[in-house]
Amino acid sequence: MKFLTRREFMVAGGALGTAMVVPVNVFAGSGSKASVEAAIQKVTGGAPIKEGGPILLKVDKLVENGAIVPVTLVTKKGSDIVRMALVVDGNPVPLIFSVGVDPALSGATTISTRIKMKQTSIVRAFASDSEGNVYMSSQSVTITIGGCG
Amino acid sequence: MQTIGKSIIRLPGGMTKGSVAQVKSIILHPNDTGRMKDRDTGAIISAYYVNRITVEYNGKIVYDIDPSPALSKDPYFAFSLNVGDGGTLKMIWTDNKGGVFEKSTNVKPK
């Protein structure tokens, strides 16, 4: 077997490195922009989105374990929110959940749950009131170890 | 795996009539996304997750949740509830393999 010179070895190594990077990029497309837009379209029904308002998303900025990310969605009292949803841009399925709410029975709606996140990404909470206004609260969350498998 | 579907609903103490209480719930469920591989065999673990959670209070639906597999293992859900004069709180979890799990508890505010 012919031994490679240092220069040849570096070139070959570079080519191998590129070959390994490309498939990773292909998989990163699982949380693609198109699927995020489709999820948001499904949530809002095409209505214009207003930032803030009666919805507030509470989530840590830095989370170690992506398998358990605690999130809390808080709405203001008397804001008449009938539908809420959570979208994580970087997940293979961006729409995490949507929930129909009866504001008379829920009080000032506060819901908490724990979700999985594959990678560092923006988390968006949506809330729609009975008049069809859509509000959004979002935050970027850094994940140290991804939890989507 | 007999524990799948075992659930807990926890009410706060010292509720007063007409107040808004924070109720916590958890159900034991693997919540597999269908994207994970078995560490030993390499076979993909098929999707097995809770795809609907309903919260009823005195027969009326308060929350009707439509989750994707991205809820964590053993889905936890905490929510606010206007307790009014009290009554029955019922939660129903449904999974994608047809499992239906129910739990009821009495709400007795003072």
Side-chain angles (χ1 to χ4, degrees), chain A residues 67-68 91-93 95-102 104-116 148-149, chain B residues 20 22 26 31 33 35-36 60-74 76-82:
Chain A
I68 303 173
N91 269 19
V93 182
L95 181 59
I96 306 295
F97 65 81
S98 66
V99 49
V101 185
D102 185 336
L105 292 170
S106 68
T109 305
T110 303
I111 59 175
S112 307
T113 188
R114 299 195 281 238
I115 64 167
K116 294 172 200 159
C148 261
Chain B
V20 175
Q22 293 295 324
I26 196 164
N31 238 39
T33 57
R35 289 168 188 274
M36 291 244 268
K60 284 184 185 165
I61 293 174
V62 188
Y63 295 96
D64 188 1
I65 307 147
D66 188 5
S68 80
L71 291 190
S72 297
K73 185 182 182 229
D74 301 335
Y76 164 85
F77 183 64
F79 52 90
S80 57
L81 178 73
N82 191 346

Side-chain angles (χ1 to χ4, degrees), chain A residues 40-59:
Chain A
I40 293 172
Q41 171 72 26
K42 199 177 165 187
V43 170
T44 62
I49 299 164
K50 294 166 193 161
E51 287 276 340
I55 177 84
L56 180 65
L57 171 70
K58 286 185 182 171
V59 57

